[in-house]
């Protein structure tokens, strides 16, 4: 045990040293041996909706629960931007809560999301400001009603009596309380981050209002996902104590127009989470969207993928992979090997339940590991330079990365990820590359509200015009998905 502590301390020390250069070179997310039973998530706005998605779909992972600030019920938008901006934000029409509960149960029965029974032992913290006109309190009220079907009333707390605007709330930083404006962090004299963490984890040590003992590091997100509205890097805060103690993990999700490109490090450093984490053995993961994401939002209505709310949703699987890495005790592409990361990773040979992943060989490699969504899929090291991943869901987009193993079985850093979409019926696919406008005129897509949607799968292809080019894969008659052949 002492040896494991020493090894973990050495990893954290090296991780801290690398963080000095974070502005110029992101590092792989390390395996820190965090407690897998002590994982939770919270988020604001689109991050609030995403927190609900992660909590419900991966309830076996986010066992401690979720903190939701200005979010809404699971699958509220049902794949529609009209629903998202209407009933799920302004509450311009009723949210069909009972139908969403039914969908949740159906998806859990099919394995698309984790069993709903996991939710019965988790906790939920809800927050809504009385001056929030972006996501109305009526939406949050419906979220509370939704959770009543799965989480005991004693495990749910709802704070809705502060006159705050649409923002993350602090007791000492940000705009005036009723404001709704960038950076969407308001000083209301209330420590919301601390309240969330204390509700999810129980009594905590007093926060550190001085210099933090731990380290901030910019890590590479491309080990888990490439594209799909995700930035190349995210941020992690590791308390110094996590070198010798098995720590908890909390994922913090920013809102729209709040990623690092939009507001710098304000959400990462000024929202109040870190000073509580520092004295309570909590690792904080701050995933980041990119400027390619619609308004820098998380995908909670399907702008990137039709499976956005399921476990197979690309952004969902990527964040789950990050948690799996931090809670792992070894491996996971930690980058300890002298071998370089494999290159040329690609997908081919799709069927309705499998995909072939191939890559260029690495000189000196004794084998390879293959990761889907950040989780290793091969039981034993792969000797060659391709691997067939099986047991996949039909018509679903996945992401794979590969690491090289040296003769001591130490992994390289992860490769860039490659995505692929399984077929509907297992037949041969045909691909078409054209402008979104041309796809609609050819009958391969439809358009609504200025956006283009793949026919059959209804995946959002982006703006409907002649400038955006998309490759569509036809997997069955009148059914198309975004992808390559």
């Amino acid at each position: 045990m002492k040896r494991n502590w020493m090894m973990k301390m050495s990893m954290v020390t090296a991780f801290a040293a690398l963080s000095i250069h974070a502005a110029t070179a992101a590092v792989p997310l390390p395996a820190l041996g965090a407690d897998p039973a002590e994982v939770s998530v919270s988020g604001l706005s689109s991050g609030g909706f995403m927190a609900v998605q992660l909590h419900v779909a991966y309830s076996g992972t986010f066992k401690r629960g979720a903190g939701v600030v200005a979010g809404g019920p699971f699958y509220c938008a049902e794949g529609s931007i009209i629903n998202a901006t209407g009933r799920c934000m302004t509450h311009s029409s009723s949210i069909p809560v009972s139908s969403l509960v039914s969908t949740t149960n159906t998806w859990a029965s099919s394995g698309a999301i984790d069993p709903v029974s996991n939710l019965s032992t988790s906790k939920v913290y809800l927050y809504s400001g009385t001056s929030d006109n972006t996501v109305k309190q009526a939406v949050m009220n419906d979220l509370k009603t939704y959770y009543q079907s799965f989480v005991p009333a004693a495990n749910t707390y709802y704070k809705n009596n502060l006159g705050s605007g649409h923002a993350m709330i602090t007791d000492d930083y940000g705009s005036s309380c009723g404001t709704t404006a960038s950076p969407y962090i308001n000083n209301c004299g209330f420590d919301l981050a601390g309240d969330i963490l204390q509700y999810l984890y129980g009594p905590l040590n007093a926060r550190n209002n001085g210099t933090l003992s731990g380290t901030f590091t910019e890590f590479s997100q491309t080990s888990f996902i490439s594209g799909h509205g995700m930035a190349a890097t995210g941020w992690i805060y590791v308390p110094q104590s996590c070198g010798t103690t098995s720590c908890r993990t909390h994922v913090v999700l920013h809102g729209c127009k709040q990623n690092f490109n939009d507001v710098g490090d304000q959400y990462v450093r000024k929202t109040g989470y870190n000073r509580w984490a520092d004295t309570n053995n909590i690792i904080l993961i701050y995933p980041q969207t990119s400027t390619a994401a619609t308004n820098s939002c998380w995908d909670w209505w399907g702008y990137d993928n039709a499976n956005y709310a399921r476990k197979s949703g690309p952004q969902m699987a990527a964040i789950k992979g990050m948690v799996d890495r931090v809670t792992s005790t070894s491996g996971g592409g930690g980058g300890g090997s002298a071998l370089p990361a494999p290159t040329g990773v690609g997908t081919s040979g799709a069927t309705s339940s499998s995909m072939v992943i191939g890559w260029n060989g690495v000189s000196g490699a004794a084998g390879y590991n293959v990761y889907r969504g950040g989780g290793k899929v091969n039981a034993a090291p792969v000797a060659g330079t391709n691997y067939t991943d099986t047991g996949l869901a039909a018509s679903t987009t996945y992401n794979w990365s590969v690491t090289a193993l040296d003769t001591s079985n130490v992994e390289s850093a992860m490769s860039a990820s490659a995505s692929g979409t399984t077929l509907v019926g297992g037949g041969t696919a045909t691909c078409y590359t054209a402008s979104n406008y041309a796809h609609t005129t050819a009958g391969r897509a439809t358009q609504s509200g200025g956006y283009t949607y793949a026919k059959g799968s209804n995946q959002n292809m982006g703006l409907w015009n002649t400038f955006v080019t998309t490759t569509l894969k036809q997997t069955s008659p009148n059914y198309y998905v975004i992808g390559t052949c």
Side-chain angles (χ1 to χ4, degrees):
M1 181 64 71
K2 183 177 180 181
R3 182 174 179 270
N4 289 339
W5 283 357
M6 292 174 66
M7 290 176 65
K8 197 190 300 182
M9 176 63 84
S10 297
M11 181 178 290
V12 173
T13 302
F15 197 42
L18 284 168
S19 71
I20 297 173
H21 305 287
T24 57
V27 302
L29 190 63
L32 295 173
D35 189 343
E38 296 289 326
V39 179
S40 60
V41 61
S42 66
L44 161 70
S45 191
S46 72
F49 283 95
M50 190 67 167
V52 173
Q53 287 179 190
L54 288 166
H55 182 216
V56 174
Y58 285 113
S59 57
T61 296
F62 295 93
K63 297 176 183 177
R64 269 293 180 175
V68 186
V69 183
F74 179 77
Y75 202 49
C76 182
E78 296 185 291
S80 165
I81 184 63
I82 296 174
N83 287 343
T85 56
R87 72 190 192 192
C88 300
M89 292 177 65
T90 64
H91 212 263
S92 55
S93 60
S94 298
I95 296 174
V97 176
S98 60
S99 175
L100 300 178
V101 168
S102 177
T103 296
T104 304
N105 286 318
T106 299
W107 287 3
S109 297
S110 70
I113 62 176
D114 285 350
V116 295
S117 57
N118 296 328
L119 295 168
S120 64
T121 56
S122 65
K123 290 187 174 182
V124 175
Y125 183 106
L126 307 175
Y127 178 87
S128 178
T130 60
S131 296
D132 188 340
N133 292 314
T134 302
V135 177
K136 297 277 193 177
Q137 279 201 345
V139 176
M140 286 291 291
N141 296 344
D142 284 345
L143 174 58
K144 180 182 178 183
T145 302
Y146 168 86
Y147 266 126
Q148 286 174 350
S149 295
F150 306 105
V151 179
N155 285 10
T156 302
Y157 178 77
Y158 185 19
K159 184 171 180 63
N160 58 356
N161 60 354
L162 282 183
S164 61
H166 189 68
M168 181 63 193
I169 306 308
T170 78
D171 61 353
D172 59 3
Y173 182 85
S175 307
S176 60
C177 191
T179 302
T180 297
S182 184
Y184 304 101
I185 303 172
N186 291 357
N187 181 357
C188 293
F190 179 71
D191 182 8
L192 181 54
D195 220 39
I196 290 172
L197 292 176
Q198 289 178 92
Y199 186 75
L200 296 180
Y201 289 108
L204 298 178
N205 297 324
R207 71 188 192 187
N208 180 3
N209 289 327
T211 302
L212 300 180
S213 69
T215 58
F216 280 101
T217 304
E218 188 177 14
F219 70 90
S220 173
Q221 294 189 153
T222 57
S223 298
F224 308 96
I225 191 169
S226 181
H228 294 285
M230 293 284 283
T233 61
W235 291 84
I236 185 172
Y237 179 73
V238 183
Q240 186 179 48
S241 60
C242 294
T244 56
T245 301
S246 181
C247 285
R248 304 148 166 166
T249 304
H250 185 73
V251 176
V252 184
L253 300 170
H254 62 73
C256 299
K257 292 295 184 181
Q258 272 190 322
N259 65 28
F260 199 84
N261 285 311
D262 295 318
V263 299
D265 65 0
Q266 291 183 86
Y267 205 85
V268 173
R269 293 183 184 265
K270 300 294 187 180
T271 46
Y273 288 96
N274 306 315
R275 50 196 178 188
W276 285 99
D278 195 58
T279 53
N280 290 282
N281 308 324
I282 302 173
I283 296 167
L284 298 171
I285 304 174
Y286 293 91
Q288 298 289 299
T289 63
S290 71
T291 53
T294 302
N295 292 325
S296 303
C297 299
W298 295 101
D299 188 10
W300 63 275
W301 68 88
Y303 73 75
D304 172 66
N305 190 276
N307 294 316
Y308 67 93
R310 297 173 173 87
K311 292 195 292 185
S312 59
Q315 293 183 2
M316 299 273 285
I319 295 173
K320 167 64 161 56
M322 295 174 197
V323 171
D324 288 346
R325 180 73 56 79
V326 168
T327 56
S328 173
T329 56
S330 64
S337 172
L339 294 177
T343 60
V345 179
T347 59
S348 63
T351 72
S352 59
S353 61
S354 67
M355 186 73 68
V356 177
I357 299 89
W359 57 90
N360 298 326
V362 174
S363 178
Y368 302 89
N369 282 333
V370 180
Y371 291 83
R372 182 195 334 125
K376 187 161 73 76
V377 295
N378 54 297
V382 179
T385 56
N386 63 76
Y387 177 83
T388 301
D389 192 8
T390 59
L392 308 179
S395 188
T396 301
T397 300
Y398 295 93
N399 292 271
W400 290 269
S401 297
V402 182
T403 63
L405 298 167
D406 63 18
T407 54
S408 298
N409 214 37
V410 179
E411 286 184 290
S412 71
M414 273 197 178
S415 70
S417 66
S419 64
T421 303
T422 52
L423 306 184
V424 172
T428 302
T430 302
C431 285
Y432 303 86
T433 300
S435 72
N436 283 351
Y437 177 81
H439 279 307
T440 60
T441 58
R444 295 185 290 267
T446 60
Q447 69 87 19
S448 176
Y451 288 90
T452 317
Y453 298 89
K455 192 169 184 178
S457 70
N458 203 38
Q459 290 177 314
N460 191 325
M461 300 159 55
L463 294 174
W464 182 58
N465 58 37
T466 59
F467 304 105
V468 178
T469 298
T470 306
T471 297
L472 289 181
K473 179 193 296 185
Q474 183 176 10
T475 57
S476 65
N478 294 317
Y479 198 101
Y480 299 84
V481 297
I482 300 171
T484 56
C485 294

